[in-house]
Amino acid sequence: MPSKGIAVFTYIGVNGVSIELSVPKQTQTIDRVNQFWTGALEVETRNIDSFFNKSGRFTFKVFSNNKSNLLTEQWIEVNAITGNASGGTMDTIAQTPAIITRDNIIITYGFYEAGPGHDLLPSRHQCYIAVTPNYVDWMGKLVPPNSPLESKPFRRLVLPSAHDVGMNSMQSSEAVLKKIGGAIVTTMVHDSKTMAAITDKVSGPAVALIAPNIIHSLAITQKDSLFDMLAIGARYFEFRPAHCHKAIVPSGALPDRLYFQHSAIPGMAYDAFLKDIVSFLQARPTEIIVVQLRWDGVPGDCARPSDQEMRDYLNAALKPTNGNLVAGNLEDLRNKTIGQLRKEKKRLIMLVNVDSLSTYTDEGNATMNGDSMLAAFPRLLNEGAVRGRNFVNIQCQATAANITKAVVYSVLEAGTTTSCILATKGVCDSKTLPWVRDNLIKTCGTDTLVVVMNDFIDGATADVSVQLSKQRLAK
């Protein structure tokens, strides 16, 4: 009988919480804490009573207090014959922001609508769910002010990180497309191989019409507001500030200021990013954030800021603090204790093109299932490789956007909940994050700052990082 499967990946980091998954005539409950659970449910035609409508609802519910309190219920309709998923509360990626509950629990989740499984893409829909503590002030709880732990080096911590933080919305890109038209997408993507594969399938005018799909599939790596990313637990961000491409600036589609640039695709404005970071730090006096500025992948036609321009942006963001927050640097990151950074008000550490040991490789991270990343971790991370490094960046996100066939399908045939980046999220996290949890201290030791980076920053990435920070501080 025809059916459509849903692969589900869950993580629970709060005692007394359970996740209930259901499709017609099948229910599964997960309640084990600190375990990465992977399973599958099947929407089968034989389990749907209607003769004419063969859609069945996939639902997940999250309960706390041993199932006495319903925290959220999310659902989508799945057609058992066509496989299409639509309607409900997970119909688009934008409809799945983090849920912050009143009892200090955060639920991060996402849903990927699979097609029939073209090439390397999954044939089952994908859903990931993580239920973890609200980590808006995790450093303060882990290292209370005036506690003995404040004497520990800041580099003992493991920082959760949102990969490409500035690509959490289509707002800037949509403004450009609306003003100039979709044909500009070829300039924005700045990737001849991918665009050639797309134009081989459709005509130039058609490419202009699907420009938003192209950008969404290639560049949108986050879906939460910056504040929500911080509440989830992110404390390290890489930002690529540059002016818009010279073909975009004269149009006036966006004010001529610095934006996060993914290739030449503009994202979050740099001044807005800094303002929100500073506001967060003012409200949370125990927290410390690291920002690294870099420009890899930004084309030369996107003018880079001068040193003075970068200073002006930073000074403008810090001015409202009246000296209660100052920028730290690499030496502070490497040599100061947590207590010293707090006392000296250096809770915003700014780095520029600082070298680190990164696990990212074009070949290893271009994966749909995470196996190549998992194989690379032990080879890249060892005591000798880590020693003397400024910090270590363990990158858990797959770059499916580097797999041309995956991008082409996502762009041309995908539904509203599809992104080739999102397609890899659950399966890769279910492999990389357990490895990080079980092997980070053995491979990286305790004397070098470690960053754990991920697309669609989630509670599992944060919880693993916070627990590892706790273990390293205890040594």
Side-chain angles (χ1 to χ4, degrees), residues 373-390:
M373 289 192 292
L374 206 63
F377 284 171
R379 185 176 70 252
L380 298 171
L381 299 173
N382 57 73
E383 186 178 349
V386 170
R387 187 182 301 114
R389 297 284 188 158
N390 294 313

Side-chain angles (χ1 to χ4, degrees), residues 146-401:
N146 302 314
S147 71
L149 287 176
E150 272 202 318
S151 65
K152 299 286 187 176
F154 176 73
R155 62 180 182 269
R156 285 280 178 94
L157 298 179
V158 178
L159 305 184
S161 172
H163 175 241
D164 283 356
V165 58
M167 299 310 299
N168 66 332
S169 141
M170 288 284 292
Q171 183 176 354
S172 295
S173 296
E174 287 172 347
V176 172
L177 296 176
K178 182 178 180 180
K179 184 75 172 183
I180 303 177
I184 194 68
V185 71
T186 302
T187 299
M188 295 167 71
V189 170
H190 202 71
D191 182 341
S192 58
K193 182 180 178 182
T194 298
M195 290 309 301
I198 293 172
T199 54
D200 185 53
K201 299 288 185 181
V202 297
S203 65
V207 168
L209 291 174
I210 61 172
N213 288 1
I214 295 172
I215 293 172
H216 202 282
S217 291
L218 285 171
I220 299 301
T221 59
Q222 302 295 332
K223 58 185 179 63
D224 288 294
S225 69
L226 180 56
F227 175 81
D228 284 357
M229 293 186 219
L230 290 161
I232 291 165
R235 293 295 182 271
Y236 173 90
F237 302 99
E238 291 186 350
F239 206 99
R240 297 194 286 272
H243 292 272
C244 286
H245 194 281
K246 66 180 184 181
I248 295 174
V249 172
S251 73
L254 292 168
D256 186 16
R257 53 180 178 166
L258 299 176
Y259 295 88
F260 187 99
Q261 297 290 343
H262 187 288
S263 187
I265 301 171
M268 187 185 298
Y270 183 46
D271 54 356
F273 168 77
L274 288 175
K275 180 182 177 182
D276 287 350
I277 289 290
V278 169
S279 295
F280 174 85
L281 289 172
Q282 283 186 284
R284 304 287 172 177
T286 61
E287 305 306 293
I288 302 168
I289 291 174
V290 180
V291 174
Q292 160 96 303
L293 304 183
R294 51 191 305 162
W295 290 270
D296 47 307
V298 178
D301 288 330
C302 296
R304 297 184 183 183
S306 65
D307 290 345
Q308 184 60 50
E309 190 173 9
M310 287 193 292
R311 283 194 293 270
D312 290 344
Y313 270 72
L314 181 59
N315 290 338
L318 291 174
K319 186 177 180 180
T321 71
N322 296 315
N324 287 320
L325 185 66
V326 298
N329 56 31
L330 178 61
E331 292 304 309
D332 296 314
L333 180 150
R334 295 192 63 165
N335 299 316
K336 296 290 177 67
T337 67
I338 297 168
Q340 286 174 326
L341 291 176
R342 288 172 176 169
K343 184 177 180 180
E344 296 173 15
K345 304 173 184 177
K346 293 181 176 179
R347 295 186 296 110
L348 174 58
I349 297 177
M350 298 294 299
L351 310 176
V352 179
N353 278 334
V354 167
D355 184 43
S356 65
L357 173 61
S358 171
T359 62
Y360 176 86
T361 65
D362 285 337
E363 183 180 73
N365 287 67
T367 174
M368 295 302 299
N369 59 24
D371 288 345
S372 55
M373 289 192 292
L374 206 63
F377 284 171
R379 185 176 70 252
L380 298 171
L381 299 173
N382 57 73
E383 186 178 349
V386 170
R387 187 182 301 114
R389 297 284 188 158
N390 294 313
F391 63 93
V392 176
N393 187 352
I394 302 177
Q395 302 204 34
C396 296
Q397 76 282 353
T399 49

